[in-house]
Amino acid sequence: MQNRTPRIPEQPAPNPVGPHGPDSPEARFTVELATVVTGARRRALRDGDRQIDTAHLLHSLVESDPEVREVFDGGTQLAKVLGYLVQRSIGYGLRWQGSVEDSGAVPVVRDPARDVAAGAEGWSPSAVAAMEGALHRAGLRGERRARGLDLLAALAADGECRAVDVLSRAGVDARWLGERAEERTAEASWWV
């Protein structure tokens, strides 16, 4: 019996965000957020995409971060979002293949010494902006490490990114979701 699954040619994995080291952007992520980045990288490679985009990040966030899943308004809403994300490679989202996601989002603060964009080859400009936004949100709370909720809030704030397109099609108000993520982050920080 032959395997009828088409073979995907070997492709180099998209590069990680920034150089590795104690001051690298990835060193400023919680273990959970680093897992999200790894999952998004793997998803982009599997989908044959040249770059990690915000929909890859959203998909990985929803799958791996329980705090992020709790922000959604029930299982039905979450199931709709996951449905669109899963359909990405089989129909919905094919229009994105071969194109670069650039919503024009500009990070609020750019610190060249800690800039995620330094070495962000393999990442869409919108995904880089979301990661920078997550780090910035953590910094505003006086925390060194960004969490999944920081990234969710940053994704939701970019009304033109692919992640927000997915949320909108699933009937989720991105602004509302971002506000809930920020509230939960503030609550969690207060208890720590």
Side-chain angles (χ1 to χ4, degrees):
M1 180 179 254
Q2 274 188 320
N3 183 357
R4 295 192 186 265
T5 305
R7 187 179 183 302
I8 299 173
E10 289 277 327
Q11 299 176 16
N15 292 335
V17 175
H20 295 287
D23 290 329
S24 75
E26 282 192 12
R28 295 181 55 212
F29 300 155
T30 59
V31 172
E32 294 82 9
L33 191 52
T35 301
V36 167
V37 170
T38 300
R41 186 177 296 124
R42 192 177 315 116
R43 189 166 302 288
L45 179 61
R46 187 182 64 225
D47 290 348
D49 294 331
R50 295 179 322 169
Q51 294 183 325
I52 296 168
D53 66 23
T54 59
H56 293 124
L57 290 171
L58 178 63
H59 198 160
S60 191
L61 262 176
V62 168
E63 280 188 335
S64 65
D65 192 326
E67 285 185 320
V68 166
R69 288 192 299 273
E70 289 174 10
V71 173
F72 284 85
D73 189 20
T76 304
Q77 189 181 62
L78 192 57
K80 285 181 181 179
V81 170
L82 278 170
Y84 274 102
L85 290 166
V86 168
Q87 290 178 32
R88 175 189 180 116
S89 61
I90 59 171
Y92 170 74
L94 285 180
R95 61 193 161 90
W96 295 336
Q97 238 174 9
S99 65
V100 173
E101 176 191 34
D102 187 2
S103 65
V106 178
V108 178
V109 174
R110 303 239 5 165
D111 178 358
R114 295 189 172 257
D115 196 350
V116 175
E121 182 182 328
W123 287 73
S124 75
S126 297
V128 169
M131 298 306 285
E132 288 176 341
L135 291 169
H136 178 70
R137 288 169 194 281
L140 290 175
R141 289 190 313 274
E143 294 180 16
R144 178 167 159 66
R145 295 183 186 270
R147 302 167 45 177
L149 291 173
D150 293 316
L151 180 55
L152 182 63
L155 290 170
D158 182 357
E160 300 297 317
C161 73
R162 292 176 182 173
V164 169
D165 185 32
V166 169
L167 292 170
S168 297
R169 289 179 183 267
V172 178
D173 181 344
R175 184 175 298 141
W176 169 84
L177 188 68
E179 288 170 2
R180 280 186 56 134
E182 288 181 4
E183 289 169 7
R184 293 281 171 94
T185 304
E187 289 170 8
S189 297
W190 186 80
W191 288 105
V192 173

